[in-house]
């Protein structure tokens, strides 16, 4: 027989693990913001160029740890090689961006470079990505040596592992995660989630603005966004098939009548 005090301790343990699971920011006070993306998905590029820079504009960096993970829907094959959703150029640019993150761990430096590449990608000028070195006054040697070598491949595999370890798994990109919680189709509204997740007392001013205090609109956001989804073609086909199947069974029913 389980005594009532044991039941109590068990509930307490469950409660504690539950609360630490839901408030991981308390220990270090910064909110984690993770972006899982792939370089040539136009919706990833749009998020990086038109939304993400807001964290640099509103003092948000003081409360946010941003982590970029360039891998997305790429698929690992044998021999540590992989296929990317938008072809070999995407694999190349994912690796270039992975190298930049590794070589310039400082966020403002690698973000500027990645922003520059994604801005070109968004304007169908991805082939000009090397112009970003000069535009930003960055030394090309380190990144060039990295993406052409085994190091680049190792970094890709590291980001592949991080992406594949996501719980729940990502369904599409851009896949934005705030303090471990995926924002799904409400990713454009990421600042509200950051403000909401922040436990500290010195929240940036933007967090007190009405538009960011609004309650989270996950349900309304459904269907609002386009994204790069490997399974979309497949799931559309499955929908058509099940529609046909239900017609067929209705027909059989009518025939039977
Ligand atoms: C893996 O690499 C080896 C040697 O490079 C090659 O012989 C083999 O065909 C490759 N396998 C696949 C599945 O690509
Ligand atoms: C770029 O970096 C490499 C390796 O650190 C160095 O050898 C080279 O002189 C640098 N080039 C310039 C133009 O600073
Ligand atoms: C990725 O994970 C696999 C197995 O889960 C492991 O064998 C491999 O070493 C990992 N690679 C990296 C780069 O972390």
């Amino acid at each position: 027989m389980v005594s009532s005090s044991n039941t109590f301790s068990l509930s307490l343990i469950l409660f504690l693990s539950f609360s630490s699971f839901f408030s991981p920011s308390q220990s270090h006070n910064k909110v984690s913001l993770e972006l899982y993306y792939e370089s040539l998905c136009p919706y990833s590029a749009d998020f990086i160029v038109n939304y993400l820079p807001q964290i640099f504009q509103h003092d948000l960096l003081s409360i946010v740890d941003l982590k970029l993970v360039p891998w997305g829907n790429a698929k690992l094959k044998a021999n540590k090689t992989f296929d990317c959703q938008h072809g070999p150029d995407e694999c190349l640019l994912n690796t270039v961006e992975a190298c930049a993150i590794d070589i310039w761990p400082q966020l403002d430096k690698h973000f500027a470079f990645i922003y520059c590449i994604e801005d070109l990608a968004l304007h169908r000028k991805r082939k000009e990505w090397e112009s970003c070195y000069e535009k930003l006054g960055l030394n090309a040697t380190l990144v060039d040596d990295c993406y052409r070598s085994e190091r680049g491949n190792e970094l890709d595999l590291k980001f592949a592992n991080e992406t594949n370890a996501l719980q729940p798994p990502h369904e599409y990109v851009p896949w934005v995660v705030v303090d471990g919680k995926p924002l799904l189709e409400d990713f454009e509204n990421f600042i509200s989630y950051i403000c909401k997740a922040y436990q500290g007392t010195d929240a940036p001013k933007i967090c007190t603005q009405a538009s960011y205090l609004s309650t989270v609109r996950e349900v309304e956001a459904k269907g609002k966004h386009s994204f790069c989804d490997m399974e979309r073609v497949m799931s559309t086909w499955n929908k058509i098939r099940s529609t046909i199947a239900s017609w067929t069974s209705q027909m059989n029913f009518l025939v039977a009548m």
Side-chain angles (χ1 to χ4, degrees):
M1 204 180 105
V2 180
S3 78
S4 62
S5 83
N6 277 348
T7 317
F8 174 75
S9 332
L10 185 63
S11 326
L12 186 66
I13 289 163
L14 283 176
F15 172 72
L16 289 178
S17 43
F18 208 66
S19 36
S20 65
F21 178 76
F22 280 104
S23 51
S25 67
Q26 265 172 345
S27 52
H28 61 295
N29 247 8
K30 275 199 169 189
V31 178
S32 87
L33 170 64
E34 292 159 48
L35 171 63
Y36 297 81
Y37 74 103
E38 57 197 22
S39 55
L40 294 183
C41 167
Y43 311 108
S44 294
D46 178 55
F47 183 71
I48 291 171
V49 171
N50 294 318
Y51 294 91
L52 204 45
Q54 292 176 59
I55 67 160
F56 294 93
Q57 290 162 2
H58 300 290
D59 241 9
L60 281 162
L61 275 187
S62 62
I63 65 161
V64 173
D65 272 330
L66 172 62
K67 182 177 160 69
L68 301 169
V69 184
W71 174 261
N73 298 324
K75 292 265 185 277
L76 273 176
K77 295 193 299 187
N79 285 2
K80 296 187 183 174
T81 59
F82 46 87
D83 285 332
C84 297
Q85 186 172 11
H86 301 89
D89 279 0
E90 177 163 82
C91 287
L92 168 74
L93 292 177
N94 282 352
T95 311
V96 164
E97 295 183 11
C99 287
I101 294 165
D102 187 56
I103 289 164
W104 302 306
Q106 218 184 314
L107 177 67
D108 51 2
K109 215 161 173 185
H110 68 245
F111 186 81
F113 186 67
I114 289 170
Y115 174 97
C116 179
I117 295 177
E118 295 302 316
D119 191 41
L120 291 171
L122 205 52
H123 296 96
R124 299 175 183 275
K125 293 194 224 159
R126 64 171 185 270
K127 301 277 187 206
E128 298 168 27
W129 69 271
E130 283 169 296
S131 69
C132 290
Y133 294 126
E134 206 191 317
K135 269 185 214 159
L136 297 166
L138 294 168
N139 183 334
T141 313
L142 294 172
V143 170
D144 283 355
D145 287 352
C146 168
Y147 84 80
R148 294 192 178 114
S149 70
E150 184 51 29
R151 180 68 188 145
N153 205 254
E154 277 170 27
L155 292 169
D156 289 327
L157 295 178
K158 185 186 85 156
F159 287 129
N161 274 12
E162 289 179 12
T163 305
N164 294 335
L166 273 171
Q167 274 316 325
H170 83 288
E171 293 164 30
Y172 43 79
V173 291
W175 189 253
V176 181
V177 178
V178 171
D179 261 359
K181 182 185 186 302
L183 305 194
L184 307 176
E185 289 180 56
D186 204 19
F187 56 82
E188 191 185 281
N189 197 19
F190 68 108
I191 291 182
S192 298
Y193 291 85
I194 291 170
C195 291
K196 207 171 170 192
Y198 184 61
Q199 305 277 325
T201 48
D202 48 347
K205 232 189 251 155
I206 190 172
C207 289
T208 63
Q209 284 177 15
S211 53
Y212 294 106
L213 284 171
S214 61
T215 46
V216 165
R217 295 174 292 252
E218 277 164 75
V219 181
E220 287 159 47
K222 217 163 171 49
K224 189 168 95 178
H225 268 288
S226 297
F227 37 73
C228 295
D229 176 2
M230 270 301 230
E231 318 303 334
R232 178 169 279 190
V233 179
M234 218 39 234
S235 68
T236 307
W237 172 236
N238 285 338
K239 256 183 225 149
I240 293 170
R241 268 213 306 232
S242 70
T243 309
I244 292 173
S246 88
W247 283 344
T248 314
S249 67
Q250 278 175 30
M251 296 297 277
N252 289 341
F253 176 69
L254 291 175
V255 169
M257 276 184 17

